[in-house]
Amino acid sequence: MDATYARPTVTELRLSAFKSHRGAVFPLAPLTLFTGASGSGKTSALQVYEALARLGAGDELGEVFEDPGSCVPEWACADAQGRRGFRIGCTVDGPVGPVHLDLAVQAEPELRVVGERLTADGQLLLSTALRDPARRTVQAAWHTAGAVPVTRAPLPDDRMGTALLPLRVAGKTDGQLKVLAAAEQVVVALRSVFACDPQPHRMRRPVPAGAGLLRRGCDNLASVLYRTQSECANRHRQLVAAARAGCAGPVAGLAAEELTDGRVRAVLGRGSGSGTPVERLGEGELRYLALALVLLTGPGVLAVDPAGEVPPAMQSLTVLADGFDRSLDPRQARELAALAAGICGQGHIRVVGTASDARWAGELAGVSVVDLSA
């Protein structure tokens, strides 16, 4: 086992047939930024990652793909029955080595899984196939290596079979244990995801104080800051340092203050008792602060649903940041990427994001740029 992947980690995305992508394979480093012209498909990569994450957590297809027809490549022709779909997948490295998951989804005329494959060490551990279109099930077969080499059973066609295996496989034979280990490695890696897209117009409003988790749009940043400033002095100092590097003017502190109506707002300290409420900051500064807070916290502060049965030390959190550099100037983007690279280098957090222009990233160590315009 490579010690680099002691924690289950998604190291490759496959967009075999998804929107504008065909046969696309993207290796993922600890910090990966997709860049390219508008329409090049950089956001699609994050959509696939998040979709796999939600399916790994047990969500139904209809919840994950609200507009499945938009995921079908324009060049995909319908078969004689009018069926079209898309294919996605990933590779998860971890204690059992690389595990490959591939999923074929029918989008039209009705949404359903029509095929799934889970492989490791060149061995097919799980396969599913749609045998009877009139039934809302797929026929699944998983490796047993006992008196019966393969176990067959129907699985629902609206969920990822890999996520269901821990509930279906007994774990009595060496083959079953191998299947369980591979499936659990994939599920643990996929569930540990926080998709983040800070919304500055929502972050400007004071919010109720509380112990809530930071939401996807970071609109409750002041509430989370109110909590974290007293819970972790070291990380709060790091956040102040990040604010100093990315915000205009002098920054002596960053705090959440309680208002007379019980709500809280975040304030940048300027020294000598003065401060600037964050609602006066520009969009770039607000997005920068929100993403810095995300990077400097973790599952206990972010609204994620990690695998509770797995110790935190055996999990890594992946932050999906669509528009990593949105509204940021090049200096802010460099500072934020440098912060992310340093944190990702510690091994417990990974970042996959998109950037409209990542030319500034070439001088930074630890940043992997995937240029889809090339």
Side-chain angles (χ1 to χ4, degrees):
M1 178 190 71
D2 186 344
T4 304
Y5 302 116
R7 298 178 176 93
T9 302
V10 177
T11 55
E12 182 180 86
L13 276 181
R14 290 186 291 281
L15 281 66
S16 303
F18 187 84
K19 294 192 175 182
S20 62
H21 294 281
R22 184 172 189 170
V25 179
F26 301 124
L28 300 180
L31 171 54
T32 303
L33 294 177
F34 289 89
T35 188
S38 177
S40 60
K42 51 187 182 291
T43 295
S44 298
L46 267 65
Q47 290 174 337
V48 166
Y49 198 136
E50 185 177 4
L52 290 170
R54 294 184 61 187
L55 292 171
D59 287 2
E60 296 181 3
L61 275 178
E63 298 170 342
V64 176
F65 298 105
E66 296 181 358
D67 183 14
S70 68
C71 302
V72 180
E74 292 184 0
W75 42 262
C77 297
D79 65 10
Q81 287 73 43
R83 296 176 296 194
R84 298 201 312 154
F86 53 90
R87 291 180 289 121
I88 57 178
C90 65
T91 297
V92 177
D93 278 272
V96 301
V99 179
H100 309 282
L101 169 69
D102 292 284
L103 199 66
V105 177
Q106 175 186 296
E108 302 167 354
E110 53 189 356
L111 182 64
R112 64 201 311 180
V113 175
V114 293
E116 183 174 346
R117 292 171 63 88
L118 187 71
T119 60
D121 295 327
Q123 187 172 40
L124 183 61
L125 301 180
L126 167 72
S127 64
T128 72
L130 180 64
R131 301 298 185 194
D132 184 354
R135 300 191 176 203
R136 295 312 308 243
T137 61
V138 291
Q139 184 62 37
W142 58 82
H143 182 61
T144 305
V148 178
V150 174
T151 299
R152 301 182 189 277
L155 292 178
D157 68 352
D158 61 350
R159 295 180 186 271
M160 180 190 289
T162 297
L164 300 175
L165 284 179
L167 303 176
R168 297 295 187 103
V169 180
K172 294 181 178 179
T173 69
D174 289 343
Q176 290 175 338
L177 290 171
K178 185 173 184 178
V179 170
L180 280 174
E184 288 171 354
Q185 177 168 295
V186 170
V187 169
V188 168
L190 290 177
R191 283 181 60 178
S192 302
V193 165
F194 180 65
C196 177
D197 186 8
Q199 301 295 311
H201 65 285
R202 295 181 180 176
M203 294 164 57
R204 298 182 190 280
R205 308 167 189 161
V207 294
L213 300 175
L214 188 66
R215 296 190 284 262
R216 180 186 188 121
C218 300
D219 49 288
N220 62 333
L221 178 141
S223 176
V224 173
L225 184 62
Y226 188 72
R227 169 191 167 193
T228 58
Q229 66 189 8
S230 61
E231 291 184 358
C232 186
N234 182 48
R235 293 207 171 186
H236 187 73
R237 283 194 296 270
Q238 291 178 287
L239 182 60
V240 172
R244 189 175 295 119
C247 295
V251 175
L254 175 62
E257 62 179 24
E258 191 167 1
L259 304 177
T260 55
D261 60 3
R263 296 182 300 165
V264 294
R265 66 177 182 181
V267 177
L268 274 182
R270 298 300 191 181
S272 302
S274 64
T276 303
V278 296
E279 59 261 32
R280 299 180 189 172
L281 301 181
E283 289 199 358
E285 290 176 305
L286 284 170
R287 283 186 59 85
Y288 175 92
L289 285 176
L291 289 169
L293 178 62
V294 168
L295 292 169
L296 287 167
T297 54
V301 177
L302 307 177
V304 296
D305 181 28
E309 65 278 10
V310 179
M314 296 303 296
Q315 301 185 54
S316 62
L317 172 70
T318 297
V319 175
L320 301 182
D322 194 14
F324 183 88
D325 64 339
R326 188 182 309 142
S327 302
L328 274 62
D329 62 37
R331 178 187 61 83
Q332 290 171 321
R334 280 195 302 271
E335 291 290 350
L336 188 62
L339 175 65
I343 291 172
C344 291
Q346 298 172 19
H348 62 283
I349 288 183
R350 295 169 69 87
V351 174
V352 181
T354 66
S356 60
D357 183 356
R359 285 176 291 183
W360 47 263
E363 61 197 63
L364 294 175
V367 181
S368 176
V369 175
V370 178
D371 189 350
L372 297 180
S373 298

